[in-house]
């Protein structure tokens, strides 16, 4: 390894270590940890509110040590924070915390996702009844689906700015859809069937295929997805020979 390579390697090792480092490296380490911790705090404000700032900053420090940044874009940092919290011993008394973090990462991804044109209702209306089973919808790029054994959507909502932190529900599973309308995020706990339909769309299933499991509930669930701006395009699958 060249002298430059050796110096660069020592520099990286010093940044992501707990042991005291050379004075010349110390300022870079402080700035690195401050920036990455700040990025985590910006992405996971509900987690921080649930555990308190001191707890959060120590957890963030441990995360930074375990998962160094691989990108110069701070918006990409923190993708594995939920998995880290799931195995973090000090968070063991909050079994829902990792799923709250997963929901917040879904919100983060949704906020930064690409935009898309609105669904062409005129074109959709031209699809004949005989061909409707072949419709294959596409979800908006900002839509994210999450299922949890805990009421994470209620916890998330209760901890938004201006709310007192008391969730409307303290138990029960949530089937959650995260979406974006313009610049505004939406987090909705929906019926399992609605969530399943959204999942079927993600899988590329046609309406006919989705109807096999959803039956008569499909129109109502589809109306909710379309009405919420979560469906943005459609194609027709090839007709059966």
């Amino acid at each position: 390894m060249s002298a430059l390579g050796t110096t660069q390697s020592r520099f990286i090792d010093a940044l992501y270590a707990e042991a005291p480092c050379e004075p010349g490296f110390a300022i870079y380490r402080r700035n690195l940890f401050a920036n990455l911790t700040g990025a985590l705090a910006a992405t996971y404000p509900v987690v921080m509110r649930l555990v308190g700032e001191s707890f959060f900053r120590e957890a963030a420090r441990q995360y930074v040590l375990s998962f160094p940044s691989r990108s110069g874009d701070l918006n990409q940092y923190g993708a594995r924070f939920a998995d880290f919290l799931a195995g973090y011993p000090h968070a063991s008394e909050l079994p829902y915390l990792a799923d709250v973090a997963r929901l917040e990462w879904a919100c983060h991804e949704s906020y930064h996702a690409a935009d898309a044109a609105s669904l062409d209702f005129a074109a959709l209306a031209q699809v004949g009844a005989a061909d409707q089973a072949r419709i294959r919808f596409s979800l908006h790029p900002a839509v994210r689906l999450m299922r949890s054994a805990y009421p994470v959507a209620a916890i998330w909502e209760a901890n938004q700015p201006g709310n007192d932190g008391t969730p409307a529900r303290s138990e029960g599973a949530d089937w959650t859809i995260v979406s974006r309308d313009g610049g505004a995020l939406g987090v909705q706990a929906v019926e399992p069937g609605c969530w399943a339909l959204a999942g079927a769309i993600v899988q590329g299933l046609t309406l006919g295929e989705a109807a096999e499991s959803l039956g008569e509930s499909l129109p109502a669930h589809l109306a909710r997805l379309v009405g919420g701006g979560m469906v943005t395009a459609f194609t027709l699958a090839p007709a059966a020979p």
Side-chain angles (χ1 to χ4, degrees):
M1 182 181 293
S2 66
L4 176 59
T6 300
T7 300
Q8 290 175 330
S9 180
R10 288 177 52 233
F11 180 66
I12 295 298
D13 289 344
L15 289 181
Y16 290 99
E18 294 191 87
C21 62
E22 300 174 27
F25 291 168
I27 187 171
Y28 293 101
R29 179 193 283 180
R30 287 195 297 271
N31 288 340
L32 173 72
F33 274 70
N35 289 337
L36 295 181
T37 298
L40 292 172
T43 302
Y44 298 100
V46 173
V47 170
M48 184 162 69
R49 183 175 181 182
L50 290 171
V51 300
E53 184 174 351
S54 296
F55 184 108
F56 184 89
R57 293 196 175 278
E58 176 56 24
R61 187 181 73 86
Q62 294 296 332
Y63 178 80
V64 172
L65 289 170
S66 300
F67 300 97
S69 175
R70 303 300 184 189
S71 170
D73 184 357
L74 288 176
N75 287 325
Q76 297 183 19
Y77 190 67
R80 301 177 66 181
F81 193 51
D83 293 337
F84 167 82
L85 289 174
Y88 190 50
H90 303 295
S92 61
E93 295 184 2
L94 301 174
Y96 53 84
L97 190 66
D99 275 2
V100 173
R102 290 186 179 95
L103 178 55
E104 290 205 277
W105 184 255
C107 291
H108 179 75
E109 287 188 322
S110 179
Y111 182 80
H112 292 284
D115 213 338
S118 299
L119 181 64
D120 188 340
F121 288 98
L124 183 61
Q126 294 177 10
V127 179
D131 294 323
Q132 289 176 0
R134 296 195 290 121
I135 294 175
R136 181 176 285 136
F137 285 111
S138 298
L139 295 182
H140 193 288
V143 171
R144 297 293 184 273
L145 306 179
M146 183 187 164
R147 183 173 63 181
S148 173
Y150 306 100
V152 291
I155 294 171
W156 182 89
E157 179 63 34
N159 286 279
Q160 294 308 293
N163 295 340
D164 66 4
T166 304
R169 293 180 294 111
S170 59
E171 58 183 24
D174 266 353
W175 286 261
T176 303
I177 299 180
V178 179
S179 61
R180 193 186 72 220
D181 183 6
L185 278 174
V187 173
Q188 303 178 52
V190 300
E191 300 87 350
C194 185
W195 193 91
L197 175 58
I201 293 173
V202 171
Q203 295 173 42
L205 300 186
T206 64
L207 279 186
E209 292 166 335
E212 292 179 5
S213 59
L214 293 172
E216 295 181 356
S217 67
L218 188 148
H221 296 321
L222 181 60
R224 180 166 187 174
L225 296 179
V226 172
M230 300 176 220
V231 177
T232 58
F234 76 94
T235 58
L236 290 181

